[in-house]
Amino acid sequence: MLSELLLTEMARLSQQDNMPLHRQLYEAMRRAILDGKLAAGDRLPSSRELTQDLKLSRNTVVAALNQLAVEGYLLSRVGSGTYINENLPRSQARARNSHIPTHLPRLSRRGTALSTTFCANQLEIQPFTPGIADFSAFPVALWQRLQNKHWRMTYPEMLDYSYSGGHAPLRRAVADYLRVFRSVPLEVDQVIITSGTQQSLELCAQLLADHGDTVWLEDPAYWGAVKAFMATGLHTHAIAVDEHGIAPTPADENHAPRLIYTTPSHQYPTGAVMSLPRRQQLLTIAGRHDAWILEDDYDSEFRFSGPPLSSLAGLDQDQRVLYLGSFSKVLYPGLKLGYLVVPKRLVAAFKQAHYDLNRPGQMPLQAALAEFIELGHFASALRRARHSYAQRRECLLQALQPCLGQHAHISGAEQGLHLCLRLPNQLDDKALALRIGNLGLTVRALSAYCVHRNDARGLVIGYGYAPLAAIERYGPVLARAIQSELALLD
Ligand SMILES: Cc1ncc(COP(=O)(O)O)c(C=O)c1O
């Protein structure tokens, strides 16, 4: 009876929208709950029973159930199964009791694609979640003092939108940092403060490419960039990454790029460092097609071994590289401040459009950050973070040692806050990541970042968020789960 109901709804959803199966099942169950067809307190069949009744893979069923549990529709009671939550959040209970329609809102095709592909799991912050720094170390009291000081000193202009590309002292501080540490040759005027890399990417896509133009991306890719380009209506052409970074072939040049998005100093997520010949090749290709390169330098502050790398922007003779940086990793992501360095010939257009499209502001916050940098607090936060992440990275590498060998190796551990454990192609990395998720640890499957290719398997494992003690404790748990999967291949 339940399975018939779910299958009918899933069939309807699959005709209406091109949703993946786990999303169809999730949506069908969610509606059954909201419509009262599954009553509060009801016990659900086990995932094994649902797998059999619905003739779906277990991964599909588990992914749908996990999502419903994360959103509070289901509750697990140890030893007795899974139940429909009796205390659904108020807005959802209301939808259920009244006759407000619960069918999917009519989204645009783009809206549907944006809300159903490359979605970050809501249960993100657990030991080993990639891409997250440890913001518990942020000096909150000091930050509060600086903010209070700037709010006290604030004069009316500071409360207005900012039309100059951001607070001048912050732009100066960023320019000084980039000149010294990233060899980016620049003048202060080229720095534009944004609300982070996501906004910088949108601005680049909006100003430098037209709807339907092609952007080259790395495959596997950073989800945030894929979404920024989807949202701006660009055609994405994904190019496989090898151990030297994005590796375009002559055939790729048939899809002439207007933009090339890349993470050369630590490819996200494989960790590949782009070699010098590859950097030169990319600059030559960009020149040939009169394309712009968007260099996302998201975690270069954390380099643990190997010589310091200079940026791609530092090699650019032609002024066609735009350099994107963020304070999300060194300070905290909710700060929502980053920077974009644009070639001189783009400065006026970018400032104007940034003002018109985004109405930037937050000047007292920018002033506090500028002072935080000028007084040396940024440098000491960075020093402390580097030291602490180096220990965590070492500890994780130690824990993963028993997994390494014929079937598994590590890439990208020289820099950043994550590494990538590369696994053989016959291994289902998404199922392994789910199994590890059931242990209360979050790692991401490398294949989940792939746009087209089907030959990259592995686990993307973060060491930034988890304290050293958690890595010491859970590293061996993670390693055992991986080892038992690898043992099946022998
Ligand atoms: C590749 C990459 N770029 C940029 C960012 C930071 O983006 P934002 O400044 O929008 O927080 C991240 C964060 O996870 C990232 O992984």
Side-chain angles (χ1 to χ4, degrees):
M1 172 63 188
L2 173 63
S3 53
E4 264 169 45
L5 175 80
L6 294 175
L7 287 169
T8 311
E9 185 62 17
M10 286 173 72
R12 217 175 57 71
L13 287 167
S14 77
Q15 279 170 5
Q16 188 180 321
D17 296 297
N18 190 16
M19 278 186 199
L21 273 178
H22 67 90
R23 194 77 199 170
Q24 288 174 22
L25 178 59
Y26 155 83
E27 196 53 49
M29 291 186 97
R30 195 176 75 91
R31 287 177 192 194
I33 296 170
L34 291 172
D35 293 346
K37 291 174 184 149
L38 279 169
D42 278 0
R43 184 176 180 280
L44 271 190
S46 70
S47 59
R48 193 183 308 276
E49 286 165 321
L50 280 171
T51 302
Q52 279 166 5
D53 295 348
L54 299 172
K55 302 203 171 30
L56 293 173
S57 80
R58 203 158 136 77
N59 289 343
T60 303
V61 173
V62 169
L65 294 182
N66 279 350
Q67 187 64 30
L68 288 161
V70 167
E71 292 178 11
Y73 290 95
L74 302 182
L75 289 177
S76 291
R77 295 190 195 135
V78 180
S80 84
T82 303
Y83 294 82
I84 313 295
N85 189 354
E86 291 175 75
N87 301 306
L88 285 178
R90 226 150 57 90
S91 59
Q92 294 167 8
R94 189 167 52 80
R96 173 182 176 174
N97 293 334
S98 70
H99 294 286
I100 296 171
T102 55
H103 52 72
L104 281 178
R106 210 175 71 77
L107 296 177
S108 62
R109 275 202 302 282
R110 182 174 49 210
T112 307
L114 280 170
S115 57
T116 54
T117 49
F118 293 117
C119 296
N121 189 327
Q122 297 186 18
L123 240 187
E124 285 211 302
I125 303 188
Q126 295 190 138
F128 309 122
T129 305
I132 310 245
D134 180 3
F135 25 90
S136 69
F138 186 71
V140 175
L142 167 68
W143 186 242
Q144 231 161 22
R145 274 202 307 280
L146 282 176
Q147 293 230 68
N148 289 345
K149 174 180 159 189
H150 284 278
W151 272 108
R152 273 198 305 276
M153 291 179 4
T154 286
Y155 35 94
E157 297 90 275
M158 293 287 275
L159 302 180
D160 200 353
Y161 301 125
S162 148
Y163 46 80
S164 50
H167 190 55
L170 180 58
R171 292 163 60 222
R172 251 195 321 273
V174 168
D176 290 345
Y177 173 78
L178 293 179
R179 263 189 228 112
V180 175
F181 291 100
R182 307 298 300 128
S183 317
V184 182
L186 80 166
E187 289 171 16
V188 177
D189 203 37
Q190 291 172 255
V191 178
I192 294 175
I193 305 297
T194 65
S195 70
T197 301
Q198 207 59 27
Q199 188 177 68
S200 303
L201 286 169
E202 282 165 15
L203 206 51
C204 292
Q206 284 157 341
L207 263 80
L208 303 176
D210 283 311
H211 197 275
D213 277 350
T214 297
V215 52
W216 281 8
L217 306 162
E218 298 162 327
D219 197 359
Y222 170 49
W223 294 342
V226 178
K227 292 218 154 170
F229 300 133
M230 277 164 79
T232 38
L234 303 195
H235 169 72
T236 50
H237 177 72
I239 297 180
V241 166
D242 65 14
E243 67 275 25
H244 301 294
I246 187 171
T249 62
D252 290 311
E253 291 198 53
N254 296 332
H255 306 263
R258 172 100 340 255
L259 302 178
I260 302 174
Y261 166 79
T262 179
T263 47
S265 50
H266 189 231
Q267 200 272 329
Y268 193 85
T270 64
V273 176
M274 195 183 287
S275 61
L276 186 59
R278 198 58 70 70
R279 286 170 192 243
Q280 282 158 340
Q281 181 196 1
L282 210 58
L283 288 166
T284 308
I285 291 177
R288 203 153 46 229
H289 295 278
D290 196 18
W292 302 100
I293 297 181
L294 312 182
E295 175 178 18
D296 180 356
D297 210 18
Y298 64 105
D299 70 2
S300 58
E301 294 87 356
F302 306 112
R303 183 150 181 87
F304 305 112
S305 57
L309 295 170
S310 57
S311 62
L312 192 57
L315 291 176
D316 174 26
Q317 304 283 327
D318 254 8
Q319 293 262 318
R320 55 177 72 256
V321 177
L322 290 91
Y323 178 95
L324 287 67
S326 172
F327 290 105
S328 288
K329 308 274 182 199
V330 184
L331 301 179
Y332 64 100
L335 178 62
K336 299 273 328 147
L337 285 176
Y339 42 90
L340 173 61
V341 181
V342 303
K344 284 190 196 128
R345 53 191 167 139
L346 292 179
V347 168
F350 266 72
K351 278 190 184 165
Q352 185 67 52
H354 185 33
Y355 182 77
D356 288 337
L357 291 170
N358 302 320
R359 297 279 192 271
Q362 301 275 32
M363 299 297 267
L365 185 68
Q366 293 191 24
L369 177 56
E371 191 165 348
F372 186 84
I373 299 174
E374 280 158 11
L375 294 178
H377 300 304
F378 182 79
S380 26
L382 193 50
R383 237 187 344 267
R384 274 195 310 273
R386 265 194 205 124
H387 178 69
S388 151
Y389 295 144
Q391 286 179 325
R392 298 173 195 206
R393 163 188 173 268
E394 199 47 48
C395 180
L396 177 61
L397 286 172
Q398 289 291 333
L400 291 175
Q401 270 307 314
C403 306
L404 306 183
Q406 183 202 349
H407 291 312
H409 69 276
I410 285 174
S411 70
E414 298 81 14
Q415 179 173 312
L417 304 176
H418 75 273
L419 53 79
C420 188
L421 181 72
R422 309 299 290 261
L423 296 168
N425 258 352
Q426 67 268 36
L427 192 144
D428 182 347
D429 57 357
K430 287 184 183 149
L432 178 56
L434 262 180
R435 221 160 291 137
I436 292 170
N438 290 337
L439 300 172
L441 308 173
T442 300
V443 293
R444 297 230 180 90
L446 180 60
S447 63
Y449 293 90
C450 291
V451 184
H452 289 312
R453 66 193 288 189
N454 195 22
D455 63 345
R457 299 276 185 285
L459 295 177
V460 184
I461 309 172
Y463 46 82
Y465 176 71
L468 185 60
I471 299 186
E472 280 168 352
R473 179 157 172 210
Y474 295 112
V477 178
L478 174 66
R480 276 196 297 278
I482 298 167
Q483 274 178 292
S484 58
E485 194 74 20
L486 288 172
L488 301 175
L489 300 175
D490 288 326

